[in-house]
Amino acid sequence: PNTKLEFDSDAKSLARLARLAGMEPDETVQRIGGGRLSGSILGDLSAMTIDATASTAGATATVKGIVHPLAQPLNVDLAIKLQHPNADSLAATLSPGALPKGVKLGSLALAATVMSAQDGAYSLDATMDLGGGQLGLKGTVTPGPERTALALDTRYAHPDVVALIRSLSPDYTPSKRDLGQATLASRLEGSTDNLKINSLRLGLGPISLTGTASLSLTGPRPKLTLAAETGTIAIDPWLPKGSAAPAGGIAPVVPVKSSSRTWSRETIDTSGLLAADADITLKAEQVLYGAYKLDKLDLAAILDNGALTVSKLSSGLFGGTLDGTASLKHGATPEGGLTLSIKNADVRQAAMSASGAAQVTGTLNYETSLKTAGRSEYALVSGLQGNGSIKVSDGTVEGFDLPAVSD
């Protein structure tokens, strides 16, 4: 028979309500405090029309639509909304300490429709506004006995990429304040424990990146695999205000003392390298960093069990080629290494990048290999050891032919 149930329950303590129902509330329920649930249910077990509103912990949620309780799998056609004026406060109530100190998320507004589709799938169309940005998901979700399958188109946009970064790192102040918007679009396919991220398009201000990725949660740590390509990356505008960009030229082949900077003796925490594994490749048409211009950059890096290895770093530099590798390994005493090779570089271009002077010419070949270990910047710099070489052929200085002079 058709029935209509109207309800309005206002509990000052959800924890006390849980105890009255014979359940022991956990710490989260105790932190939430009170709550209110009101609305109506119309129909029978074959089809129920629901219109309900719940308020708790400063959040308000509404659910409207039709549910077919006896259908297998459950058949629904629902519209869901969730709002909270301060997502930081909500996160602190539900999971204290989950957000890093200083992170500001701002207000939260979620709107979604969920409808039953074929083969036990549910179609989803959701939009979430959070911290000035908007995230959208549209596609299907298919629950299973062991894992949930996903086929979703995703989109994200924030009008101010610097404000987005500041919401996660409040002290960030780049050299250029107005860097543009942040955008993200992709196609998610697979399951919740092994997800493919296809048709990836990421925009960070003037930087536009495309590629494919995957995220696996089946191993001891989450693993991200990413293969991406981009055009020009200008690094200087993103550096913190007051940072000194490199002046160009070629670095010394072995470390030299410098009084221009005091190295910190604070302990470096490299435990973050254990948070996840990664396998990343990146190709860029050009990278601009200070006076350096790297052409056709090709980068390959692997993070595995706390060990970061840059197995490939190649590009064009000063008319020649640059190749390098690098490593950083987590441990009680972190270890690092670097190799760098520059071949057939134009000395004139290198000199122009360093000082604007063009009085020198020649071809430069440069090699260096360094290793270090230490628990602080000071220890790492002090522990540098290695070797290198630098050779200039067919060189001239202010009209002098160096080979002729040496003969």
Side-chain angles (χ1 to χ4, degrees):
N2 274 343
T3 59
K4 183 177 182 180
L5 172 66
E6 294 182 345
F7 52 90
D8 189 345
S9 173
D10 190 355
K12 295 183 178 180
S13 172
L14 295 181
R16 181 179 298 177
L17 186 63
R19 291 190 182 99
L20 289 175
M23 298 180 292
E24 183 60 31
D26 60 17
E27 293 182 356
T28 300
V29 173
Q30 296 181 44
R31 284 192 301 269
I32 288 175
R36 181 177 182 180
L37 177 64
S38 62
S40 64
I41 299 176
L42 175 64
D44 55 28
L45 291 179
S46 64
M48 292 183 175
T49 300
I50 298 175
D51 186 350
T53 300
S55 301
T56 187
T60 301
T62 62
V63 178
K64 296 182 179 182
I66 300 174
V67 177
H68 301 270
L70 298 181
Q72 293 295 329
L74 183 66
N75 190 297
V76 300
D77 183 354
L78 298 173
I80 302 169
K81 291 185 178 181
L82 172 66
Q83 293 181 318
H84 196 288
N86 189 336
D88 315 328
S89 174
L90 180 62
T93 300
L94 298 178
S95 182
L99 293 180
K101 186 178 180 180
V103 170
K104 301 294 182 182
L105 298 179
S107 61
L108 166 67
L110 170 68
T113 59
V114 182
M115 296 180 61
S116 294
Q118 295 180 347
D119 300 325
Y122 295 93
S123 65
L124 172 68
D125 190 348
T127 301
M128 181 175 69
D129 293 280
L130 179 65
Q134 186 178 83
L135 172 67
L137 299 172
K138 188 173 183 179
T140 60
V141 177
T142 308
E146 296 182 358
R147 59 183 59 87
T148 298
L150 303 175
L152 296 170
D153 292 316
T154 69
R155 63 190 186 281
Y156 177 80
H158 194 292
D160 187 343
V161 65
V162 174
L164 174 61
I165 297 174
R166 281 181 175 172
S167 68
L168 304 175
S169 180
D171 295 331
Y172 178 64
T173 304
S175 300
K176 183 179 179 182
R177 174 59 184 86
D178 184 11
L179 288 172
Q181 64 178 344
T183 60
L184 173 67
S186 67
R187 173 71 175 177
L188 305 182
E189 296 179 317
S191 63
T192 48
D193 60 358
N194 200 346
L195 192 62
K196 293 182 180 180
I197 308 171
N198 298 319
S199 303
L200 176 65
R201 300 189 303 278
L202 173 66
L204 296 173
I207 300 173
S208 179
L209 179 148
T210 61
T212 60
S214 65
L215 178 63
S216 175
L217 303 179
T218 58
R221 292 167 298 280
K223 181 175 181 179
L224 173 67
T225 302
L226 171 67
E229 296 183 354
T230 186
T232 297
I233 300 177
I235 296 177
D236 295 354
W238 299 88
L239 296 176
K241 187 176 294 185
S243 298
I250 300 295
V253 295
V254 293
V256 295
K257 292 184 178 180
S258 171
S259 60
S260 62
R261 175 173 178 180
T262 300
W263 300 103
S264 172
R265 295 175 183 261
E266 291 187 8
T267 300
I268 295 176
D269 182 8
T270 57
S271 61
L273 295 174
L274 293 169
D277 293 339
D279 187 345
I280 296 174
T281 60
L282 173 66
K283 294 184 178 181
E285 285 295 316
Q286 193 175 73
V287 175
L288 306 177
Y289 180 36
Y292 291 104
K293 182 173 72 173
L294 305 179
D295 296 310
K296 303 294 183 183
L297 177 76
D298 193 351
L299 173 71
I302 293 176
L303 177 59
D304 183 26
N305 194 25
L308 174 62
T309 302
V310 179
S311 59
K312 182 178 183 181
L313 173 61
S314 66
S315 74
L317 178 65
F318 302 139
T321 61
L322 177 149
D323 290 282
T325 64
S327 64
L328 177 62
K329 185 177 181 180
H330 167 71
T333 301
E335 301 175 2
L338 172 71
T339 67
L340 195 62
S341 172
I342 298 175
K343 295 182 179 179
N344 301 318
D346 187 336
V347 174
R348 177 187 175 90
Q349 289 189 34
M352 286 288 291
S353 74
S355 62
Q359 291 88 352
V360 295
T361 63
T363 300
L364 179 143
N365 288 280
Y366 170 93
E367 302 276 350
T368 189
S369 177
L370 302 173
K371 290 184 178 181
T372 189
R375 300 181 180 179
S376 66
E377 286 185 353
Y378 178 84
L380 288 170
V381 173
S382 301
L384 279 170
Q385 55 182 321
N387 54 69
S389 65
I390 185 169
K391 178 182 179 181
V392 176
S393 57
D394 302 323
T396 64
V397 177
E398 295 182 346
F400 288 94
D401 187 335
L402 294 181
V405 173
S406 64
D407 290 341

